[in-house]
Amino acid sequence: MQNLIESTGLNKSFSLGKDYSVSVLKNINLNVRPGEYVSVMGPSGSGKSTLLYTLSGMEPKSSGRVVFNNMVLDKLPEKTMSRLRLTEMGFIFQHIHLLKNLNLRDNILLPGYPAKVRSRKSVNHRASELMELTGIASLAGNNITQASGGQLQRVGICRALINEPDIVFGDEPTGALDSASTREVLDLLGRINAMGTTVFLMTHDVKVADREQQLASWLREWGC
Ligand SMILES: Nc1ncnc2c1ncn2[C@@H]1O[C@H](COP(=O)(O)OP(=O)(O)OP(=O)(O)O)[C@@H](O)[C@H]1O
Ligand SMILES: [Mg+2]
């Protein structure tokens, strides 16, 4: 099976002043196949967000190669890269970045209209479906101060999925949540993955990274 995303010899340093730079990613070689559920684990400051930004081209790499869907990313013009990120990649950011002057539904719709992949009517329909799936349909008209942290995280997940991306990158998607909401969000990501979307998570939490343990505990709960 071909890889959906692969990196070879990926390096990233940040320059801090004239003579000093910090090397964050060193020779990262990874492959993610379509439909996989992959977690990258590391402590705070180890470079998880940098990996996500560099793999998706949001942050330029220092050297190495990233291939996504058979396209070598650094050969693509920025306009094509932006379109790729809009339509084929979904992002659940560490800091959710919702717009406070839009209600929850409009925050979800936001990347849907400019993508122009489908009609506004079908983007609206998809937003409704996603809000049903994630259990926030009744909050559609609320603004972001009228929702809990877990509910806002689910808004972020819906927004990431609005254009039916091939891959969803989650950067500590449960970082700000209590254990019950964490479980709900992980359950949701598991279901999204079961529907065919590749999931690529960055986390410092072994419980979030350990998908097998998660599946085993759900199976126990369901008496399987
Ligand atoms: N724009 C930048 N300029 C300079 N250094 C940076 C920049 N962005 C990140 N770094 C440094 O790169 C390292 C990795 O940061 P990164 O945010 O990727 O870590 P992380 O694993 O996501 O951490 P956390 O779990 O706290 O989110 C840190 O030492 C950070 O200080
Ligand atoms: Mg981070």
Side-chain angles (χ1 to χ4, degrees):
M1 194 190 290
Q2 283 200 323
N3 293 318
L4 179 60
I5 189 156
E6 73 183 56
S7 77
T8 318
L10 178 64
N11 294 298
K12 173 69 186 173
S13 306
F14 291 103
S15 118
L16 298 167
K18 206 157 57 94
D19 305 316
Y20 181 65
S21 72
V22 54
S23 172
V24 178
L25 304 179
K26 293 171 204 158
N27 194 25
I28 306 288
N29 300 295
L30 63 80
N31 302 323
V32 179
R33 290 196 297 274
E36 277 193 310
Y37 187 111
V38 177
S39 304
V40 172
M41 243 197 95
S44 179
S46 59
K48 301 180 298 295
S49 298
T50 305
L51 177 62
L52 187 158
Y53 296 145
T54 314
L55 282 177
S56 59
M58 275 191 257
E59 185 71 64
K61 59 191 167 46
S62 302
S63 61
R65 202 168 101 114
V66 177
V67 180
F68 176 77
N69 257 341
N70 294 323
M71 289 170 278
V72 181
L73 293 193
D74 49 337
K75 299 222 164 115
L76 299 177
E78 186 45 44
K79 203 170 165 193
T80 314
M81 271 309 307
S82 303
R83 173 129 199 102
L84 210 60
R85 281 193 292 269
L86 182 63
T87 58
E88 295 180 36
M89 300 174 181
F91 298 92
I92 307 164
F93 290 105
Q94 188 164 10
H95 309 288
I96 314 175
H97 301 306
L98 297 174
L99 296 185
K100 61 176 187 295
N101 52 341
L102 296 182
N103 66 30
L104 300 189
R105 182 185 173 81
D106 289 344
N107 265 288
I108 293 167
L109 289 170
L110 201 60
Y113 294 161
K116 296 195 174 127
V117 175
R118 55 182 71 75
S119 67
R120 282 190 170 223
K121 192 173 162 200
S122 87
V123 174
N124 291 341
H125 180 67
R126 169 112 179 125
S128 301
E129 269 181 357
L130 287 167
M131 284 188 287
E132 283 292 339
L133 177 76
T134 54
I136 53 169
S138 62
L139 307 175
N142 288 21
N143 66 44
I144 66 170
T145 59
Q146 296 166 324
S148 72
Q151 289 163 342
L152 293 179
Q153 198 61 275
R154 283 181 261 169
V155 172
I157 294 175
C158 294
R159 183 185 56 186
L161 293 170
I162 190 78
N163 290 324
E164 294 185 60
D166 294 335
I167 185 165
V168 174
F169 291 100
D171 193 2
E172 302 280 7
T174 59
L177 304 181
D178 63 20
S179 55
S181 304
T182 294
R183 217 183 126 90
E184 279 175 28
V185 166
L186 291 179
D187 181 19
L188 188 59
L189 288 170
R191 280 191 280 150
I192 287 160
N193 178 243
M195 288 185 237
T197 307
T198 307
V199 173
F200 191 5
L201 299 186
M202 319 289 162
T203 181
H204 67 272
D205 184 346
V206 68
K207 290 201 269 336
V208 173
D210 193 347
R211 175 106 182 105
E212 281 185 23
Q213 191 197 57
Q214 255 180 57
L215 289 173
S217 85
W218 291 330
L219 289 173
R220 270 198 305 279
E221 202 168 282
W222 299 331
C224 303

